[in-house]
Amino acid sequence: MKILAFETSCDDTAVSIVEDGCRVIASVRVSQVEHSAWGGVVPEIAARLHAENWPGALEQCLTDAALTIEEIDALAVTQGPGLQTSLLSGTTAASFLSQLYQTPLIPVHHIYGHLCSVFLERDLKSVSFPALVLTVSGGHTDCYLWESPTDWKKLGGTLDDAAGEAFDKTAKMLGLGYPGGPVVSQHAQLGDRRKYDLPVPNLGKDSLNFSFSGVKAAIYRLVETHKSGLETNTDPLSPDFINDVCASFETTVSKIFVKKMITAMTQNPTVKTLCFVGGVSANTYIKKGLQDFSQQHGIKFLTPTKIAYSTDNAAMIASAAYFLHQQNLELGKIQHVESNPKLTL
Ligand code: KG4
Ligand code: ZN
């Protein structure tokens, strides 16, 4: 079954065609560089650019796949959560095509898409259930118990910042630009991982919630102290300082995740797989920490096969739609979008 999906929850216009939930036939992403001048995503600009970009992205995707739209079995689209204006662009495009070509349309929860990103370019049986899933990106940091492809339960989530957001804010405080994840990770490789003792939050021994505000505040204080030692406040931060802060930060985030996974495994001893998904799962150091943890516990470790499937993409939405379609779930025509969809996720 070939599903063509749109993902426009933030500032990328992504279109993909995936066969049977895992075989990626074509995947196109048009990024919106226009926001960098504003220091953040501007909703109106994002919506305008999605509206301008989706027809070209769709055409490119069909050309790459050597398919016509009539050969597509179903359409899928991210319903939420995300930026309302951006979501509306994608759902409007998908609804229009669904009516024009009389093709079923499957709305998908963005986070469920991230869960299914581990199936892309893998065998559908590669996840041994039950699985634990850590979904970590710029907008979310959640832990799920995943019992079958369409059966999941949230075990915990962040009480404040998402981990990706903490990477982005750390980069900003150190003057390293946006997005913070990749650049902080590069500097971390050059730094001393034990230089600064950053706080690992204690939210109660059974809690599977997360918090990154304490780490962020500690970094703010380190940067302020370092700046006060410089001759003028326009002097650049020392490269060693930047590398050591990045290394200590990345190490602390990794510790936080491993600590939570120990709690999650204790509470869910039948778990057979740990999945690490979302933009932060592109991080080699954190990935290695979770992989070692999985090995020690004798469980399988899965993360998306490509960085492009860790960050937001439409292939994961097509994969999720395949499982919903198999179960006859969430089929229908979208009349509206919800930035906080009331699905059972
Ligand atoms: O999943 P994603 O593309 O978008 C959201 O749904 O938010 O995740 C983007 C986030 C950003 O915060 C970015 O800094 C982070 O993922 N990220 C990373 C890395 N690559 C991207 N964080 C840590 N290490 C990386 N290598
Ligand atoms: Zn995402």
Side-chain angles (χ1 to χ4, degrees):
M1 176 183 196
K2 296 184 191 72
I3 299 185
L4 186 148
F6 289 88
E7 152 47 55
T8 65
S9 63
C10 191
D11 58 343
D12 283 339
T13 314
V15 186
S16 290
I17 301 170
V18 177
E19 187 168 26
D20 296 338
C22 60
R23 198 170 79 79
V24 182
I25 301 178
S27 204
V28 172
R29 175 172 11 202
V30 184
S31 296
Q32 303 179 352
V33 288
E34 288 79 352
H35 301 286
S36 57
W38 301 89
V41 179
V42 183
E44 287 75 10
I45 296 180
R48 177 174 57 76
L49 291 173
H50 283 309
E52 279 174 25
N53 293 341
W54 77 259
L58 171 67
E59 199 179 330
Q60 184 65 52
C61 191
L62 288 166
T63 305
D64 292 353
L67 290 169
T68 62
I69 201 154
E70 289 83 359
E71 292 172 281
I72 298 297
D73 300 301
L75 296 161
V77 64
T78 303
Q79 186 190 17
L83 266 185
Q84 190 112 8
T85 53
S86 294
L87 292 166
L88 204 46
S89 307
T91 52
T92 305
S95 302
F96 163 70
L97 292 172
S98 166
Q99 284 174 29
L100 189 63
Y101 293 97
Q102 291 298 296
T103 309
L105 175 58
I106 306 164
V108 175
H109 192 295
H110 181 79
I111 310 280
Y112 180 47
H114 276 298
L115 263 60
C116 292
S117 66
V118 291
F119 289 118
L120 298 172
E121 294 179 15
R122 280 204 176 98
D123 191 296
L124 283 192
K125 294 198 176 69
S126 52
V127 178
S128 303
F129 292 102
L132 278 175
V133 191
L134 257 182
T135 310
V136 189
S137 76
H140 28 83
T141 299
D142 300 314
C143 177
Y144 292 91
L145 180 65
W146 198 13
E147 300 200 83
S148 76
T150 51
D151 181 7
W152 55 82
K153 183 171 87 179
K154 187 167 172 177
L155 301 176
T158 185
L159 301 177
D160 39 57
D161 290 355
E165 203 179 339
F167 267 96
D168 296 335
K169 286 178 182 166
T170 297
K172 194 170 179 187
M173 287 187 264
L174 296 171
L176 299 177
Y178 179 88
V183 67
V184 166
S185 173
Q186 279 161 20
H187 284 275
Q189 285 169 35
L190 307 171
D192 176 354
R193 296 197 174 271
R194 280 180 296 190
K195 179 81 180 192
Y196 300 109
D197 197 14
L198 299 171
V200 173
N202 182 2
L203 303 170
K205 78 175 175 47
D206 295 331
S207 168
L208 289 175
N209 288 328
F210 302 86
S211 167
F212 293 95
S213 58
V215 190
K216 189 181 68 180
I219 289 175
Y220 175 78
R221 286 192 296 273
L222 282 176
V223 173
E224 288 306 299
T225 307
H226 181 77
K227 279 184 178 165
S228 66
L230 299 173
E231 277 183 24
T232 71
N233 57 10
T234 53
D235 278 3
L237 306 178
S238 115
D240 282 346
F241 173 74
I242 292 177
N243 295 341
D244 292 344
V245 170
C246 289
S248 305
F249 169 73
E250 191 180 62
T251 307
T252 306
V253 175
S254 172
K255 268 189 211 159
I256 293 174
F257 287 139
V258 171
K259 187 180 162 198
K260 287 294 168 183
M261 288 308 98
I262 294 172
T263 309
M265 276 303 292
T266 311
Q267 292 174 7
N268 301 278
T270 57
V271 159
K272 296 197 181 89
T273 312
L274 171 61
C275 303
F276 180 35
V277 299
V280 178
S281 69
N283 186 289
T284 311
Y285 184 82
I286 299 175
K287 215 166 12 187
K288 175 84 174 53
L290 292 168
Q291 191 166 19
D292 291 348
F293 163 86
S294 305
Q295 216 163 22
Q296 282 155 19
H297 284 76
I299 61 171
K300 202 185 252 189
F301 177 68
L302 288 178
T303 193
T305 52
K306 286 184 183 164
I307 288 181
Y309 303 148
S310 286
T311 51
D312 286 351
N313 66 88
M316 67 185 195
I317 301 302
S319 175
Y322 172 76
F323 291 107
L324 295 173
H325 187 270
Q326 296 289 93
Q327 302 286 321
N328 268 330
L329 295 173
E330 307 298 344
L331 286 179
K333 295 214 162 65
I334 299 179
Q335 304 299 334
H336 62 283
V337 301
E338 289 187 42
S339 42
N340 284 306
K342 291 179 197 60
L343 301 188
T344 49
L345 203 63

